Amino acid sequence: MSNPVPALSAAAPAAPKTLAVDVTQLRKVFRRKAPRGSTGPRRRNVDALAGITFSMAKGETVAILGQNGSGKSTLVRVLSTLLLPDGGNALVFGHDVQREPRPVRRLVNRVSVEASFFKKMSAVENLSYAARFYGMPPRHTRDRIPHILERVGFPVARRGEPMENLSRGMQQKVALARALLTAPVLLLLDEPTTGLDPRSKLEVQEFIREIRNTHDATILLCTHDLAEAEALADRVGIIDRGLLRRLLPPDQLKASYHTDSLEQAFFAATGRVLADDTEETDGREDDDERDVFA
């Protein structure tokens, strides 16, 4: 009698990897004043995010290209728990930004042109507070804070001045220093080089590469700087009127629109040139937002 064929052992399925960012049909609606001279209601609902879906792997850098007013800053603010979404879901390393804001804030650091600071406190005091918020003891930051401020080109003589006395470019350097200091798992960059001189801009781009390479950080870069996006990102997306048109590696994105440059691809996707021409308010004059450290 033939020997029975041994049963094949089924290999255990590989555990699914947790995505760094997992966004599904994300929506945010604002009430805004109707343009002067228009008919109809004085206030209208505007979709800042109109059902965006995308994901990011751990350690990936994704750039989102869009004009101001396109929804990219709203996306950053939702992911950093500064705004509540009106629909859909957004997860940061498996944590829901709406239901689990506290662990999300521990994982995220946001750098933006309107970064949150204690305006009456100095750069050093703000960085010391950030270090405590992220659980870093003073003995680890006493020497590190001056070193990082020096690296971002912040002048020694102004380290004790209140933040409210500093220019936007100087405040941007403090925001970047905070990101370097806290080494976040997810770094949300909203126009990180706006207001900086060309030399500082190149230095900031090098800092972004350093954070990615030395800390294995996941980076979402929202910008209207085409060269910056192409130089730093693994994938580039185009956002327009709250919709994410495409998200692909730079060469594939250009090929998908049969163009030779990201500028041409953006025009093909939106019918407009990529210019800093519309202020993105995120509905802040009409929306109740939480004042949190992010």
Side-chain angles (χ1 to χ4, degrees):
M1 189 171 71
S2 59
N3 293 329
V5 178
L8 295 176
S9 59
K17 292 184 178 179
T18 300
L19 293 169
V21 175
D22 190 11
V23 172
T24 306
Q25 291 295 312
L26 192 64
R27 294 182 61 251
K28 182 63 187 176
V29 179
F30 293 122
R31 297 268 306 164
R32 290 181 177 163
K33 295 178 181 178
R36 288 184 179 178
S38 62
T39 59
R42 296 179 60 185
R43 288 182 176 270
R44 300 173 181 176
N45 289 339
V46 177
D47 287 324
L49 298 175
I52 284 183
T53 297
F54 74 100
S55 61
M56 294 175 62
K58 184 177 184 294
E60 186 179 19
T61 298
V62 166
I64 302 295
L65 292 173
Q67 291 182 318
N68 284 354
S70 62
K72 61 185 189 296
S73 292
T74 303
L75 175 62
V76 166
R77 295 173 71 81
V78 169
L79 291 176
S80 59
T81 76
L82 284 170
L83 287 177
L84 293 173
D86 293 315
N89 296 294
L91 306 179
V92 173
F93 286 95
H95 298 288
D96 189 289
V97 298
Q98 187 168 356
R99 297 184 180 91
E100 306 171 86
R102 189 176 297 275
V104 170
R105 292 171 198 157
R106 294 283 184 179
L107 294 168
V108 168
N109 201 322
R110 182 176 66 104
V111 175
S112 91
V113 293
E114 43 91 26
S116 301
F117 291 110
F118 295 102
K119 300 298 185 181
K120 300 293 184 182
M121 291 166 53
S122 69
V124 171
E125 288 169 335
N126 270 278
L127 292 181
S128 297
Y129 176 86
R132 292 195 300 273
F133 181 86
Y134 284 91
M136 304 171 67
R139 66 179 182 277
H140 290 169
T141 58
R142 190 173 296 111
D143 297 326
R144 185 162 169 74
I145 287 175
H147 173 70
I148 290 175
L149 285 172
E150 181 179 358
R151 289 200 54 207
V152 299
F154 194 90
V156 176
R158 306 198 66 181
R159 292 179 187 175
E161 285 189 39
M163 294 293 296
E164 62 187 2
N165 293 350
L166 303 178
S167 67
R168 186 169 71 173
M170 297 284 277
Q171 293 189 32
Q172 194 79 325
K173 290 185 177 184
V174 179
L176 289 160
R178 183 169 66 190
L180 282 170
L181 174 67
T182 59
V185 179
L186 174 62
L187 185 58
L188 304 174
L189 301 173
D190 187 10
E191 305 287 0
T193 56
T194 296
L196 300 183
D197 59 81
R199 178 179 176 180
S200 296
K201 189 171 184 177
L202 291 175
E203 289 175 347
V204 166
Q205 291 171 0
E206 187 56 39
F207 295 150
I208 293 171
R209 293 188 185 95
E210 178 183 333
I211 292 174
R212 179 183 61 191
N213 296 334
T214 61
H215 300 296
D216 195 25
T218 304
I219 299 174
L220 179 64
L221 167 65
C222 293
T223 183
H224 63 268
D225 189 315
L226 295 156
E228 187 170 81
E230 191 158 17
L232 296 174
D234 302 308
R235 289 188 294 157
V236 176
I238 294 174
I239 190 171
D240 180 53
R241 297 175 183 175
L243 295 170
L244 187 60
R245 301 295 182 181
R246 286 185 192 175
L247 176 59
L248 293 166
D251 289 341
Q252 291 183 29
L253 182 63
K254 289 181 284 187
S256 73
Y257 288 106
H258 309 289
T259 60
D260 297 322
S261 69
L262 288 181
E263 183 177 18
Q264 293 170 336
F266 187 88
F267 183 80
T270 68
R272 294 190 295 279
V273 296
L274 186 59
D276 186 13
D277 58 353
T278 305
E279 184 180 2
E280 184 166 357
T281 65
D282 284 349
R284 284 190 290 273
E285 69 270 37
D286 301 315
D287 188 74
D288 291 330
E289 65 179 55
R290 289 175 289 165
D291 185 15
V292 299
F293 183 84

